[in-house]
């Protein structure tokens, strides 16, 4: 009987899959670039097989991300304290949201003009802040990340 994958291995695998899909890369292509089979990539993405430090370094170079990409946890993922100590808490995106997010990022990355990309980012942040304030009932403005 095997143990369930460690939550960190699962999260790293999710981020690996996310980044691979964002780049439009197949498991077979990534595997070939790393010198492993696509089945091995599948096991990494599920968290079934741990990714060693040298392989992680290769992945980061191949996927053009810093190592911190896999370990700096976004707001949707964190640690929550329970009676036994800390446990991982994840709020994964549903399939429709994930597709929308990937499509949005791919479209954004196709914008050739850096100034236009910056303006799109500013617009997106402004819309998100307005939505946050509306949901929170906060009409005072300001940065929604401020306490």
């Amino acid at each position: 009987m095997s143990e369930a994958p460690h939550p960190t291995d699962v999260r790293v695998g999710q981020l690996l899959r996310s980044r691979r899909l964002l780049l439009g890369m197949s498991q077979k292509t990534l595997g070939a670039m790393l010198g492993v089979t696509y089945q091995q990539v599948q096991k990494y993405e599920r968290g079934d097989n741990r990714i060693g430090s040298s392989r992680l370094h290769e992945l980061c170079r191949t996927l053009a991300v810093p190592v911190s990409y896999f370990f700096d946890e976004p707001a949707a993922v964190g640690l929550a304290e329970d009676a036994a100590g800390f446990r991982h808490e994840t709020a994964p995106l549903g399939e429709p949201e994930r597709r929308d997010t990937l499509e949005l990022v791919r479209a954004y990355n196709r914008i050739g003009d850096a100034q236009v990309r910056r303006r799109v980012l500013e617009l997106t942040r402004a819309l998100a802040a307005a939505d946050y304030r509306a949901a929170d009932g906060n009409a005072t403005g300001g940065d929604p990340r401020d306490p």
Side-chain angles (χ1 to χ4, degrees):
M1 186 166 106
S2 67
E3 291 184 31
H6 190 277
T8 299
D9 296 325
V10 172
R11 182 65 185 152
V12 168
Q14 290 171 342
L15 291 168
L16 167 60
R17 181 175 191 275
S18 235
R19 181 65 180 170
R20 177 183 60 78
L21 291 173
L22 182 66
L23 296 173
M25 188 182 296
S26 70
Q27 289 176 332
K28 186 175 181 178
T29 301
L30 180 58
M33 294 173 84
L34 297 172
V36 300
T37 65
Y38 76 91
Q39 293 98 331
Q40 181 63 40
V41 173
Q42 286 177 337
K43 290 176 183 180
Y44 287 151
E45 290 182 356
R46 285 193 311 259
D48 291 340
N49 285 8
R50 288 187 174 162
I51 301 172
S53 57
S54 57
R55 177 74 68 210
L56 183 63
H57 184 259
E58 282 181 72
L59 277 167
C60 290
R61 287 185 25 203
T62 303
L63 300 175
V65 293
V67 173
S68 62
Y69 171 82
F70 292 102
F71 299 102
D72 287 347
E73 299 197 29
V77 177
L79 295 175
E81 192 170 8
D82 62 12
F86 286 97
R87 60 180 164 73
H88 285 261
E89 189 174 85
T90 309
L93 294 175
E95 210 46 50
E97 294 88 355
R98 184 177 295 130
R99 264 188 249 116
D100 287 351
T101 301
L102 288 172
E103 186 177 334
L104 177 65
V105 172
R106 284 179 182 149
Y108 175 84
N109 286 335
R110 286 192 303 265
I111 299 171
D113 186 323
Q115 186 174 8
V116 171
R117 273 194 318 272
R118 183 71 185 157
R119 298 300 301 240
V120 168
L121 179 59
E122 290 170 3
L123 172 63
T124 305
R125 284 182 176 155
L127 290 170
D131 189 50
Y132 177 86
R133 284 191 304 274
D136 194 33
N138 177 4
T140 61
D143 189 336
R145 294 169 290 192
D146 289 342

